[in-house]
Amino acid sequence: MPHTNYSRLETDDRCVAWLTLDRPEVLNAFDDALIAELNAHLTAVAEAAERGEVRLLVLGSAGRHFSAGADLGWMQRMVEYDVEDNLADSRELASMMQRLDSLPCPTLCRVQGAAYGGAVGLAACCDIVIASEKARFCLSEVKIGLSPAVISPYVQNAIGRRQMRRYALSAEVMDATTAEALGLVHRVVEPAALDTALETMIETLLATSPQASRATKALLAEVAREPDTAATREHTCQVIARLRVSDEGQEGLNSFFEKRRPVWAPAPSSTTER
């Protein structure tokens, strides 16, 4: 996959897609060009996942910081924008968040250093977040007269309404331990252990059925929208019934009873953490 100006998308031989923000000179800050690139990359990953060519996405960034949020030059340009121009920009950002949140395959986020503003939204849109002990998170928008508006549905889903009220209104900085306690982060490790922890989770995800992972992610989104309706209950029954009779479902059940690895699972690595 092509290298672009501000980001990279690469797929390894395990069908793991690596999407990397690559603007370390400006702390991987967002601008309209980076947002456009990420939208294009996420569309490509979604299509590849539907074809079975991508098993999972790892979102990360180059350099010492995950992302400082909005790029200062972009913000200066936005001062001159009218309402319609700002709406167009905001809709591109909203599309990016929605694409990441609804990606068919599992998503894994690697966070080091600062994750401010929209970067908190990126983390919240991913299924699993692993962070360095030195990571810091902040919904900083109100300090400069703005609001974490576009990312608010995703961050609130991650940390809950009460905590969202506090951190969106106070713009306090959350350390990694606090972010983990709030549910924004799933695991916090020493900086030197970040890549090892990431690889361990990749191996864990690759041991799961690709079809079942896609079906489960879509199911969870549906359940979140309508958690207790007759239609949702029937949908859950339909999902499990179809998976049981599918090729992958049969392979999974047979491999379990035969005490062997299913065909989709790679051999365990000798370096995997126990």
Side-chain angles (χ1 to χ4, degrees):
M1 293 183 182
H3 181 282
T4 50
N5 289 334
Y6 296 148
S7 59
R8 303 191 309 272
L9 179 60
E10 302 157 320
T11 303
D12 67 23
D13 57 8
R14 301 172 298 176
C15 296
V16 177
W18 299 79
L19 179 53
T20 306
L21 279 60
D22 194 14
R23 303 185 74 203
E25 69 282 0
V26 291
L27 310 184
N28 297 305
F30 290 90
D31 67 1
D32 48 354
L34 177 56
I35 290 170
E37 285 183 14
L38 294 178
N39 268 319
H41 288 324
L42 291 169
T43 297
V45 172
E47 292 171 353
E50 293 288 2
R51 294 192 299 268
E53 297 169 3
V54 165
R55 294 279 310 274
L56 65 101
L57 172 75
V58 180
L59 176 64
S61 57
R64 296 176 54 242
H65 297 283
F66 181 66
S67 173
D71 178 83
L72 294 178
W74 183 40
M75 291 173 66
Q76 286 178 332
R77 281 188 279 122
M78 284 192 291
V79 170
E80 306 298 324
Y81 287 6
D82 61 18
V83 172
E84 289 304 316
D85 290 333
N86 274 284
L87 272 173
D89 257 4
S90 298
R91 286 167 179 156
E92 285 297 305
L93 180 62
S95 293
M96 182 183 74
M97 295 294 170
Q98 193 274 334
R99 283 189 173 96
L100 179 58
D101 186 66
S102 62
L103 211 64
C105 60
T107 51
L108 179 55
C109 187
R110 176 192 187 276
V111 180
Q112 82 284 14
Y116 279 34
V120 181
L122 287 178
C125 287
C126 288
D127 300 317
I128 301 169
V129 180
I130 299 176
S132 160
E133 288 176 343
K134 293 186 176 180
R136 296 293 182 268
F137 301 82
C138 184
L139 296 167
S140 54
E141 288 86 349
V142 294
K143 284 190 173 182
I144 57 171
L146 302 177
S147 169
V150 171
I151 65 172
S152 61
Y154 309 104
V155 181
Q156 183 161 287
N157 281 343
I159 69 176
R161 292 178 63 189
R162 291 295 294 165
Q163 299 296 350
M164 184 66 176
R165 287 186 180 191
R166 172 180 174 174
Y167 287 98
L169 294 171
S170 69
E172 294 170 89
V173 175
M174 294 174 260
D175 61 21
T177 302
T178 300
E180 183 180 30
L182 293 175
L184 181 62
V185 168
H186 295 92
R187 187 178 179 193
V188 176
V189 297
E190 296 178 359
L194 186 56
D195 288 327
T196 300
L198 191 76
E199 187 59 35
T200 298
M201 183 54 68
I202 290 172
E203 292 189 3
T204 298
L205 292 169
L206 289 176
T208 66
S209 157
Q211 175 185 260
S213 293
R214 292 193 300 271
T216 298
K217 186 161 182 180
L219 175 69
L220 294 176
E222 185 68 27
V223 170
R225 282 190 292 269
E226 295 188 63
D228 188 24
T229 66
T232 297
R233 288 191 292 274
E234 175 61 21
H235 181 58
T236 64
C237 295
Q238 292 282 343
V239 168
I240 188 60
R242 290 169 181 164
L243 286 174
R244 283 173 180 163
V245 301
S246 70
D247 290 344
E248 281 194 20
Q250 292 289 299
E251 167 62 14
L253 290 168
N254 288 329
S255 65
F256 176 77
F257 290 120
E258 294 167 8
K259 296 181 171 56
R260 61 174 174 80
R261 287 196 316 274
V263 295
W264 58 75
S269 168
S270 60
T271 61
T272 300
E273 293 180 343
R274 303 295 179 189

